[in-house]
Amino acid sequence: MDPLNQEQLDHYHHRGWVTLAGPFSPAHVASAAAAIGRMCPEAEAGSNQRSQASFSPSAAGGPIPQPILDMIQHPWQEAVSKQVRRPPHPP
C-alpha cells in the first residue's frame, strides 16, 4: 500500500508539501528530537529562534546519531519519496 492517497499526492504536486502521519511512535520522535537538541542546542523545544539555530553533527560528538538515522532510513520514507517523485518532463 502506498503511503499517500491520491488527494495527498495531488496536494503535494500542486503546493509542494503535504502533512503526513508517519509510522513513528512518540518515543521515536522524542528520541530523535533529543538527538537534534544535542546537535543544535539553540533549537530547544518551544524556542522561536529556529532560524538562528545552527546544526552541527560534531556537536553530538561525531556522526549523525542513530535515532535520526533510523527515521531518515526508515522504509516508509523511501516509499513516500518514490511515490512523490515525478518522471522527467519530455524535451
Side-chain angles (χ1 to χ4, degrees):
M1 179 177 190
D2 291 329
L4 281 73
N5 62 37
Q6 190 60 49
E7 182 180 349
Q8 292 168 321
L9 198 54
D10 292 343
H11 186 275
Y12 175 82
H13 287 300
H14 179 71
R15 301 199 176 184
W17 63 271
V18 66
T19 301
L20 301 173
F24 307 110
S25 71
H28 284 121
V29 174
S31 180
I36 290 169
R38 289 188 299 275
M39 294 171 69
C40 185
E42 300 91 357
E44 294 179 24
S47 172
N48 291 328
Q49 302 297 321
R50 289 185 214 166
S51 62
Q52 301 299 318
S54 60
F55 183 77
S56 171
S58 63
I64 296 175
Q66 194 62 46
I68 298 171
L69 289 176
D70 290 344
M71 291 183 83
I72 293 169
Q73 296 175 339
H74 192 283
W76 182 83
Q77 299 280 27
E78 186 172 349
V80 170
S81 296
K82 285 180 178 178
Q83 195 178 1
V84 299
R85 229 180 352 210
R86 287 186 174 177
H89 296 289

